Amino acid sequence: MSEITPQAVAGMLARVRQARPRVHCLMNSVVQKFTADGITVIGGIPSMTGSLEEVESFVGRADALTVNLGTLDAERREAIRLGVAVARGQGRPWIVDPVHCDYSPSRLAFARELIALQPTVVRGNRAEMALIGETPGILRIVTGPVDLLQLGEASVEIGNGHPFMAQVTGTGCLSGGVIAAFMAVEPDALAAAAAALTVTGVAAERAAPHARGPGTFAAAFLDALATVGDTDILHHARIRHDQPEHE
């Protein structure tokens, strides 16, 4: 893995904005609009349908897929299975967010079913990822005040973000969509995800001074994602690499 620098992050953001990748989202119905807005303002093109009659066609036109288990029912499970099959068949990058798998045994079983299909990324909080366990060959992201990304022996920590993000439902789902957009233009999944989380974290830091609280932060965050640029990233990115030790 080459070092992920602020310059590389800025370059990937420019590629997303130029390529305008299509990202299909099978996710929490509570946060669909916020996630779609986030993907749009960063430069991507979102689609959100979970219809069993349409999901295969929509995923077939997408450059990347993000799967979020937030509001899960029998029909959504089947739509996810159909969408994942198309993404795998076309060799598209896809991400699984096993939301609240620590709350429900059936949800955990479904998350493990999906992870057995080798997604590009699995992303969750500390409790969720502790239950998921090891994910050989899959980029593993443990979210928190500092996000930890691990793939094999390589790991990266992203220190950007703001506490308001934890007070607005959907910021994590939105960042999953942004990761998918970056993976559509960058084949190195670790580099793409690190860049996406850096961009969203820097945007959150830019937005916070303009917010009076979580409600106004959500709007300011979208504005900041739309306008975040090279200077912001070069001056404020907090990326730390943990290189593997060699004897």
Side-chain angles (χ1 to χ4, degrees):
M1 182 197 75
S2 58
E3 186 175 10
I4 301 162
T5 64
Q7 291 82 358
V9 171
M12 278 184 262
L13 175 59
R15 284 156 54 198
V16 169
R17 287 172 169 166
Q18 181 176 16
R20 301 208 66 208
R22 293 181 177 272
V23 176
H24 192 73
C25 307
L26 293 170
M27 64 167 36
N28 188 337
S29 59
V30 175
V31 299
Q32 285 184 334
K33 182 181 186 304
F34 190 51
T35 301
D37 287 344
I39 293 170
T40 300
V41 299
I42 208 68
I45 301 173
S47 54
M48 315 299 288
T49 184
S51 162
L52 296 178
E53 294 79 14
E54 296 182 319
V55 65
E56 292 170 298
S57 297
F58 272 80
V59 176
R61 292 174 58 88
D63 299 299
L65 170 67
T66 181
V67 173
N68 176 299
L69 306 189
T71 46
L72 196 59
D73 54 31
E75 183 169 332
R76 195 176 301 272
R77 287 171 189 257
E78 185 58 27
I80 288 170
R81 291 186 178 108
L82 292 172
V84 165
V86 172
R88 294 181 73 231
Q90 295 188 341
R92 302 298 192 207
W94 59 291
I95 178 171
V96 172
D97 190 339
V99 176
H100 293 326
C101 69
D102 53 330
Y103 285 25
S104 160
S106 64
R107 185 179 295 247
L108 176 60
F110 186 56
R112 287 176 170 163
E113 173 190 327
L114 295 176
I115 292 164
L117 298 174
Q118 292 288 299
T120 315
V121 176
V122 177
R123 171 196 180 280
N125 62 33
R126 189 175 300 277
E128 293 158 356
M129 296 304 287
L131 277 179
I132 292 300
E134 296 300 316
T135 56
I138 301 170
L139 174 59
R140 177 186 181 88
I141 303 176
V142 182
T143 61
V146 175
D147 294 325
L148 173 63
L149 296 78
Q150 296 175 301
L151 181 59
E153 294 185 335
S155 65
V156 178
E157 292 183 351
I158 306 299
N160 294 103
H162 190 274
F164 276 152
M165 296 180 79
Q167 300 179 47
V168 176
T169 301
T171 54
C173 307
L174 184 158
S175 70
V178 174
I179 290 170
F182 275 69
M183 289 195 302
V185 303
E186 172 51 57
D188 183 331
L190 180 55
L197 292 171
T198 300
V199 168
T200 54
V202 169
E205 292 170 5
R206 289 185 62 227
H210 303 285
R212 298 187 301 278
T216 49
F217 171 77
F221 182 42
L222 291 175
D223 288 344
L225 279 172
T227 57
V228 64
D230 293 1
T231 300
D232 302 306
I233 294 166
L234 296 178
H235 288 179
H236 300 292
R238 294 194 296 279
I239 305 167
R240 192 179 82 177
H241 298 78
D242 291 328
Q243 299 294 344
E245 295 182 1
H246 300 281
E247 295 183 357

